[in-house]
Amino acid sequence: MVPLARREQPLRILFVTSEMAPFSKTGGLGDVSGALPRQLLAAGEDVRVLVPWYGRPDSAQLRHRADLWLPFSGERVEILSPMDHPQWLFLRHPDYERPGSPYQNPAGEDWPDNAERFARLCRAAAEIAQGRVPELSWQAELVHANDWQTGLVPYLLELEARIGAARPRTLLTIHNLAYQGRFDPAVLERLHLPVADFHPQGTELYGSFSFLKAGLVYADHLSTVSPTYAREIQRPEFGMGLDGLLRARSGALSGILNGIDSEQWNPAADPYLPAHYSADDLQGKATCKARLQQELGLFPDPHVPLLGMISRLVEQKGSDLVLALAPELLKRGLQLVVLGSGERLLEQRLRELGATHRGQMAARIGFDEALSHRIEAGADMFLMPSRFEPCGLNQMYSLRYGTVPIVQETGGLADTVHDVDGPMAQLGNGFVFHPAQVDALRAAILRAERYFRRTALWHELQRRGMSEDHSWRSAALAYRDLYRSLL
């Protein structure tokens, strides 16, 4: 990690999130929360990260920092920190330590008390931010909240300001507008929140109470995770019912492209890979492909294009488009590997397709960090046919690993992947298609296959992507500038 230039007076930032890699992760939010605060700390900023503790075998390595009794509910929560990272503040309560994901049970159903679980996180954040936890001896100048699970934080701090309390400035980042934290209005009484703000200009969203809308209305500034997505969500087709509010707040809305952890995702040193390689020496990538084919039971052939996809198996990600096209691609002799989980029907169809086309296709349902690295290294092309994509990280991992991305033109995909045959061909690093339909995806894959058959041209395309800098450095600089402007 290349440190940013330091400043004499560090900013005191409380970063509040519902997940943080490597401790908890369901998607891009976990990656961002694990990387951005680290980069800011390396720059000398005074950052604290507050995240629920969902339980891990190494919990003995945590130390007790404070007991906190939350206002209104009066319940006790515990604040823990890793021995080697006192800046990470884990909020411990029995309701977080459950099987399944942070948000759903093992059957894929939302926990019925999610409103209470994440209101607890928001209440604790407000107490810490205001310096009301004596054991921490710390108070925030700015609170950076993330997604609906922390949307109440700006609202809670606004409620304090109404009664004359000074409060830190607030920023809410939208990682995915589709998830809005909507609950029955009866939850207001249980959460001790004022009914007076439950109206269309406040916390009400089409008859429900929305954590996300509360944050969008009351945060001092809003951001999202790519410039294109910041524009898209102000249009009805991407605004998820909130486009009017976002247009009204467009002057307080920024789009900052996410980065990737260039140390964790580095094909020259990745511990998960059987061989290492770089833009200067691609030989190890061929070894990675051969070993991936062996590991997944695919026919060992270096000349067959191997397509990879690592994704949540939901309609947003275009998983249905890949399923519809897969039999035709496999008939052409291409190979396909898919890693992910999501809708049960899509999981079942992938399993059936993999069983029918052994040697050509492998479907692994679930999440496997090590395998995800090996797919990024071993695949020739990476599929991201998302109908919408706020930022996306896998296309940037793919570029770094010389695995040419094939993406639908939306959000952060449009900001990072430029078509080799498009108007920015001199910057071409992948294949872009539009609209999100099977015919358009097919055409993009066939174009990629033609390039793949021209070895010298393909290697040039790989090296171009690998030479780009998608690290967190530029994103962290942009966030730090935004923080300063808010203060």
Side-chain angles (χ1 to χ4, degrees):
M1 180 180 293
V2 179
L4 306 179
R6 294 177 178 269
R7 59 192 292 271
E8 291 184 4
Q9 295 297 324
L11 295 168
R12 298 192 307 278
I13 305 157
L14 178 62
F15 190 96
V16 191
T17 179
S18 58
E19 54 185 85
M20 179 178 70
F23 304 99
S24 52
K25 173 184 169 180
T26 66
L29 174 59
D31 287 316
V32 172
S33 302
L36 176 56
R38 291 178 187 271
Q39 182 72 75
L40 293 166
L41 279 167
E45 307 299 355
D46 187 3
V47 182
R48 302 288 187 276
V49 181
L50 180 66
V51 61
W53 180 255
Y54 300 106
R56 277 169 57 99
D58 59 357
S59 58
Q61 298 177 15
L62 300 176
R63 66 184 180 96
H64 175 85
R65 296 291 300 279
D67 287 319
L68 174 58
W69 278 263
L70 299 179
F72 298 104
S73 66
E75 64 179 342
R76 171 189 171 274
V77 293
E78 186 181 7
I79 299 173
L80 310 171
S81 288
M83 297 296 290
D84 55 344
H85 282 293
Q87 300 92 348
W88 308 155
L89 305 176
F90 291 112
L91 188 68
R92 189 171 198 173
H93 186 278
D95 286 351
Y96 296 126
E97 299 185 47
R98 296 172 174 173
S101 82
Y103 319 115
Q104 297 181 322
N105 64 25
E109 304 161 330
D110 288 352
W111 294 111
D113 60 345
N114 270 346
E116 288 81 1
R117 296 171 76 232
F118 293 106
R120 181 182 300 117
L121 173 64
C122 296
R123 291 278 186 194
E127 294 299 294
I128 294 170
Q130 294 287 54
R132 293 196 287 257
V133 184
E135 297 91 335
L136 299 181
S137 303
W138 188 85
Q139 184 172 357
E141 295 176 275
L142 182 139
V143 178
H144 186 165
N146 294 270
D147 265 355
W148 77 260
Q149 296 88 350
T150 63
L152 286 190
V153 179
Y155 180 40
L156 294 173
L157 293 172
E158 170 64 21
L159 292 176
E160 294 198 25
R162 292 179 187 176
I163 58 174
R167 68 165 178 86
R169 303 285 281 170
T170 54
L171 168 67
L172 174 67
T173 294
I174 306 159
H175 296 263
N176 192 332
L177 194 65
Y179 301 98
Q180 300 175 346
R182 295 173 63 171
F183 301 95
D184 188 280
V187 79
L188 290 166
E189 182 178 358
R190 299 201 303 273
L191 300 183
H192 308 280
L193 295 173
V195 177
D197 290 326
F198 186 72
H199 53 76
Q201 287 71 47
T203 60
E204 185 252 340
L205 182 61
Y206 302 107
S208 63
F209 172 75
S210 168
F211 275 50
L212 180 64
K213 191 183 178 194
L216 297 179
V217 170
Y218 295 106
D220 294 312
H221 198 87
L222 310 174
S223 73
T224 190
V225 291
S226 72
T228 296
Y229 192 59
R231 295 189 295 271
E232 288 177 340
I233 59 177
Q234 297 179 56
R235 307 203 305 261
E237 60 267 36
F238 291 100
M240 306 290 176
L242 289 162
D243 52 287
L245 170 59
L246 292 164
R247 285 194 300 273
R249 296 217 63 192
S250 61
L253 172 62
S254 303
I256 299 176
L257 187 69
N258 281 342
I260 62 172
D261 187 329
S262 55
E263 293 182 355
Q264 180 185 3
W265 292 92
N266 178 9
D270 191 330
Y272 294 122
L273 303 188
H276 294 139
Y277 60 96
S278 67
D280 296 326
D281 182 2
L282 288 168
Q283 185 174 351
K285 185 166 177 61
T287 302
C288 289
K289 178 177 180 177
R291 293 286 291 275
L292 182 67
Q293 288 172 321
Q294 181 184 27
E295 176 182 357
L296 298 179
L298 303 177
F299 297 131
D301 188 341
H303 304 296
V304 170
L306 174 55
L307 302 173
M309 183 174 181
I310 304 168
S311 175
R312 282 186 294 113
L313 303 177
V314 294
E315 185 176 303
Q316 175 211 329
K317 300 293 187 179
S319 307
D320 56 314
L321 302 179
V322 174
L323 271 167
L325 191 57
E328 178 183 335
L329 298 176
L330 298 172
K331 188 176 181 180
R332 285 184 61 86
L334 278 66
Q335 294 182 348
L336 175 64
V337 54
V338 179
L339 171 65
S341 62
E343 296 175 9
R344 295 294 184 263
L345 179 59
L346 293 175
E347 292 180 352
Q348 179 183 345
R349 289 176 62 194
L350 278 170
R351 285 193 181 99
E352 292 171 352
L353 199 60
T356 306
H357 296 83
R358 295 185 187 279
Q360 277 191 279
M361 179 178 170
R364 295 293 183 266
I365 305 304
F367 180 74
D368 185 326
E369 180 73 25
L371 180 57
S372 71
H373 283 246
R374 291 195 291 274
I375 292 173
E376 285 287 8
D380 298 302
M381 308 159 195
F382 195 90
L383 298 178
M384 291 188 74
S386 304
R387 288 179 167 84
F388 68 94
E389 191 67 62
C391 177
L393 296 176
N394 275 102
Q395 83 277 15
M396 291 186 273
Y397 299 153
S398 299
L399 290 168
R400 184 152 172 80
Y401 279 59
T403 302
V404 180
I406 302 172
V407 307
Q408 207 269 127
E409 188 178 18
T410 186
L413 303 180
D415 289 324
T416 51
V417 182
H418 309 294
D419 196 280
V420 296
D421 298 320
M424 299 178 66
Q426 72 278 11
L427 301 176
N429 56 10
F431 298 87
V432 182
F433 67 94
H434 184 78
Q437 296 175 359
V438 169
D439 288 346
L441 174 58
R442 177 194 295 112
I445 293 174
L446 295 182
R447 282 197 297 125
E449 184 183 5
R450 289 195 293 270
Y451 271 79
F452 177 79
R453 303 299 182 190
R454 302 169 65 184
T455 303
L457 189 61
W458 187 257
H459 286 170
E460 178 185 343
L461 182 56
Q462 289 176 302
R463 292 189 180 98
R464 186 180 301 164
M466 295 179 75
S467 66
E468 297 173 0
D469 181 7
H470 292 287
S471 71
W472 267 103
R473 177 179 169 77
S474 58
L477 281 169
Y479 273 111
R480 194 171 70 175
D481 289 343
L482 177 56
Y483 297 157
R484 289 174 176 172
S485 72
L486 293 176
L487 294 174

